[in-house]
Amino acid sequence: MFQIIKRDGMGRIGKVKTAHGNFTTPTLMPVIDPTDIVLTPREIKREFGAELIITNAYLTLLHFGKNPDLKIHQILDYDGPIMTDSGGYQILRYGSIDVPPEEIVRYQDLISPDIATILDIPTGVNASREYAAETVRITLERAREALRILSNPNVMWCGPIQGGLFTDLVEHSAREMGKLDYKFHAIGSPVELLNDYRYTEVVDLVMAAKKNLPLERPVHLFGAGHPMMLSLAVAMGCDLFDSAAYILFARDDRYMTAEGTLHLNELEFLPCECPVCSSTTVKEIRREPLDEKIKLLARHNLHVTFGELRKIRQAIVDGRLLEYVQIKCRAHPSLLAALKRFMDYSEFIERFDPVTKKSAFFYSGSESIKRPEVIRHQQRMKSRYTPPRQDTLIILSGFGEKTNVDAGDSHVLKIVPPFGVVPEELEEIYPLSQNEVPKELEAEVIAAAAESLENYLKRHGSSYRQVILFNDRSCWGESLVRACQPVAEKLKVIQANEKNLNKLWHEFSAEWIGIFNG
């Protein structure tokens, strides 16, 4: 049903087989209101390449439920994959709906979408802990009951996760829902957070669910469809997104970009290369009749969103998704804060990241010290590495091309930001020499490298008789010297002369610090 094709970080490209065709993840499902269709599903598929759409089963029941023979594909006049939501958003917005959960399930079974959703109780962001716990309990109860009444084998069902801002409740919801026989899962209650740019809380919500859901099941992030945050959501392991924003924003003269939202009245130029923006001007759009203006803006909004999804997919193929996320998250301070929060989960992320990639590692900011490649190297240095039996350790901290040191029988250790210590015999292992890093580094990166050296010397310093440190003060200052204190406090310091320095590294131009001699 769900076949994972490519991975990077926690992001993945997958294939899903449905009764009405296959689709590729990550993907966006444009929301279609069955009572107010502005762009038809056929138009959306033809112009934007949409492979999956979503509509509301509750609204469909209210308007078309009197004709039990009508299937959802007939109602929408569309022969591709369709997902139905259950009315949970209406509960979140209005407090309740007047249809029992069993009726919503049976109706979806009857109209035969490719993917259907049980009627959950959204937690929301303002819920008390008691109410949040109740939404989890009721949603799980409904999920178990739904499995007992399902009858259509062509429908794959989605079990939503609730709990809101209470991550322990989200974890419980995900664990218990994951035990049930659902093919998809959806993470509930992010819409209000997304609307208020509370992206760090979205990260905690998503990661609490992802860490406890079955890995083989696709995950849908309810209501997330703005292109500015899609790359971060994909990096967290979300596979499906739905959004009515393309049309809601258009009705409010809002113009989506991959970095944020602009208002039509603020624009003098159209900063986009999509077919809409390439064939018209701001003034021309403003002069259009209201219905036509809405359609033009909706089409632009979809072009931008699907264009961003294609870029994200290619970044996964290239093995540079997290670099892309680092770039995109600098579009808004709240996104950058969310990226830093996401990197707090780096040890979990590392479990899913490919060991080798076809692209070099590009440093993209201080968050790079928590990238999976860096975490993996540090973990393996700690758990798997034993240095060779040699009396002298030479520590090189310069930059530039590969340094060929005539070190004789000495063991050479390099300081390679952001990875930290790299034994010379391991430096060809990806990505320890397949990387691009600027010479001017943030304080966090310098501190992390110094800590890496200090930890190495605490573990292995006693196996050497002497340690030689070349310190590039222009980059590292005194941080590496301080990192050597676990060795220096026990060993005598001897000043090296120019002859010795040139013998070890005649091209090194930084200040010589000293020999710690046993």
Side-chain angles (χ1 to χ4, degrees):
M1 190 278 298
F2 180 50
Q3 179 185 8
I4 297 174
I5 308 299
K6 290 282 186 181
R7 286 185 177 274
D8 193 24
M10 292 178 64
R12 53 207 188 168
I13 293 176
K15 294 286 186 181
V16 178
K17 183 178 180 181
T18 78
H20 289 85
N22 301 341
F23 63 87
T24 301
T25 64
T27 195
L28 175 79
M29 299 176 285
V31 175
I32 303 294
D33 183 341
T35 67
D36 184 17
I37 297 177
V38 177
L39 296 174
T40 70
R42 291 177 183 270
E43 290 177 301
I44 289 174
K45 180 179 181 179
R46 181 175 62 250
E47 183 170 353
F48 311 104
E51 298 178 298
L52 179 67
I53 63 169
I54 187 170
T55 194
N56 190 297
Y58 169 66
L59 297 179
T60 305
L61 173 61
L62 293 183
H63 290 86
F64 300 94
K66 293 181 180 180
N67 188 343
D69 296 326
L70 273 180
K71 305 300 183 185
I72 192 63
H73 291 81
Q74 295 172 291
I75 294 171
L76 298 182
D77 187 26
Y78 184 61
D79 60 359
I82 297 175
M83 181 175 183
T84 49
D85 190 10
S86 58
Y89 178 74
Q90 281 68 34
I91 293 177
L92 179 65
R93 187 170 181 181
Y94 303 115
S96 65
I97 62 173
D98 54 358
V99 178
E102 297 84 0
E103 185 176 349
I104 288 287
V105 168
R106 290 191 173 96
Y107 182 66
Q108 289 179 90
D109 240 10
L110 185 67
I111 62 176
S112 198
D114 298 271
I115 306 168
T117 310
I118 69 163
L119 183 60
D120 57 333
I121 301 293
T123 305
V125 299
N126 298 313
S128 66
R129 182 176 181 84
E130 291 73 21
Y131 180 77
E134 187 69 0
T135 65
V136 170
R137 184 191 67 78
I138 294 174
T139 297
L140 287 170
E141 183 179 277
R142 291 182 175 183
R144 296 184 182 103
E145 178 61 27
L147 292 176
R148 288 193 283 269
I149 62 177
L150 300 181
S151 61
N152 189 337
N154 293 321
V155 180
M156 295 181 288
W157 283 84
C158 175
I161 309 304
Q162 294 298 340
L165 299 181
F166 301 96
T167 53
D168 60 322
L169 296 179
V170 176
E171 291 171 353
H172 170 73
S173 177
R175 281 194 301 270
E176 295 304 309
M177 192 68 75
K179 295 175 183 178
L180 304 178
D181 188 21
Y182 283 91
K183 304 300 182 185
F184 293 79
H185 294 290
I187 300 174
S189 301
V191 174
E192 297 162 295
L193 298 175
L194 293 169
N195 289 342
D196 292 336
Y197 292 78
R198 295 165 64 179
Y199 296 123
T200 56
E201 291 163 294
V202 174
V203 169
D204 288 335
L205 169 64
V206 172
M207 294 303 293
K210 283 291 298 184
K211 290 172 71 174
N212 292 278
L213 284 171
L215 298 174
E216 69 277 9
R217 299 179 188 176
V219 172
H220 171 201
L221 184 58
F222 272 133
H226 198 296
M228 71 183 292
M229 59 77 57
L230 285 181
S231 62
L232 177 60
V234 171
M236 290 190 288
C238 297
D239 307 288
L240 303 175
F241 308 94
D242 73 275
S243 180
Y246 73 97
I247 188 65
L248 297 177
F249 280 31
R251 286 174 172 151
D252 194 32
D253 280 359
R254 285 184 285 174
Y255 178 99
M256 285 183 173
T257 76
E259 292 76 36
T261 305
L262 305 174
H263 198 280
L264 191 64
N265 290 336
E266 300 171 348
L267 294 174
E268 292 187 26
F269 304 95
L270 298 175
C272 174
E273 304 81 24
C274 79
V276 172
C277 297
S278 300
S279 60
T280 189
T281 67
V282 175
K283 291 181 179 179
E284 289 171 342
I285 292 178
R286 288 175 184 154
R287 288 197 296 262
E288 292 284 355
L290 180 60
D291 288 349
E292 185 59 27
K293 181 175 69 170
I294 289 172
K295 282 187 178 182
L296 287 171
L297 287 175
R299 288 174 58 215
H300 157 78
N301 290 340
L302 282 177
H303 274 299
V304 169
T305 306
F306 279 100
E308 180 66 12
L309 271 175
R310 289 191 293 271
K311 292 175 183 177
I312 292 169
R313 289 177 181 178
Q314 187 60 45
I316 294 174
V317 171
D318 292 339
R320 54 182 302 270
L321 175 61
L322 291 178
E323 291 166 14
Y324 187 73
V325 172
Q326 286 181 272
I327 294 169
K328 299 302 294 187
C329 283
R330 280 167 167 75
H332 194 282
S334 295
L335 274 175
L336 184 57
L339 171 62
K340 293 178 183 295
R341 178 67 61 86
F342 177 52
M343 288 303 187
D344 289 341
Y345 296 92
S346 55
E347 291 191 6
F348 181 75
I349 301 167
E350 186 275 329
R351 293 165 50 187
F352 308 97
D353 191 63
V355 175
T356 60
K357 304 177 183 182
K358 67 179 184 180
S359 62
F361 178 102
F362 275 61
Y363 178 93
S364 303
S366 60
E367 312 85 32
S368 296
I369 62 177
K370 293 185 177 181
R371 289 263 299 274
E373 299 93 330
V374 176
I375 298 299
R376 181 178 300 119
H377 170 69
Q378 294 172 348
Q379 288 175 339
R380 292 184 175 184
M381 283 295 297
K382 182 177 179 180
S383 63
R384 301 186 184 186
Y385 181 74
T386 301
R389 293 188 176 183
Q390 291 169 308
D391 288 345
T392 301
L393 172 65
I394 300 174
I395 304 171
L396 304 177
S397 65
F399 285 89
E401 300 298 326
K402 180 182 176 182
T403 305
N404 295 313
V405 179
D406 182 14
D409 292 333
S410 300
H411 183 213
V412 177
L413 193 72
K414 299 186 177 183
I415 308 299
V416 180
F419 302 96
V421 296
V422 176
E424 187 178 43
E425 66 270 26
L426 300 181
E427 66 176 336
E428 294 300 327
I429 294 176
Y430 179 87
L432 301 178
S433 64
Q434 299 85 4
N435 60 75
E436 292 289 339
V437 181
K439 291 187 177 182
E440 295 183 2
L441 298 170
E442 292 91 336
E444 304 99 299
V445 183
I446 293 173
E451 182 181 6
S452 173
L453 175 59
E454 181 177 359
N455 290 336
Y456 179 90
L457 291 175
K458 285 179 178 178
R459 289 194 300 269
H460 305 299
S462 61
S463 63
Y464 302 104
R465 293 186 61 247
Q466 56 184 6
V467 177
I468 304 171
L469 169 67
F470 290 100
N471 184 47
D472 185 346
R473 286 179 182 270
S474 64
C475 173
W476 305 104
E478 297 299 317
S479 63
L480 299 185
V481 180
R482 290 192 293 269
C484 288
Q485 290 308 305
V487 176
E489 290 175 356
K490 300 178 182 178
L491 302 177
K492 181 180 178 182
V493 177
I494 299 178
Q495 185 70 29
N497 58 39
E498 189 70 19
K499 181 179 178 180
N500 289 339
L501 184 149
N502 287 334
K503 178 180 178 182
L504 292 172
W505 191 6
H506 66 86
E507 294 181 351
F508 190 83
S509 59
E511 181 179 353
W512 167 253
I513 296 300
I515 297 179
F516 302 98
N517 193 357

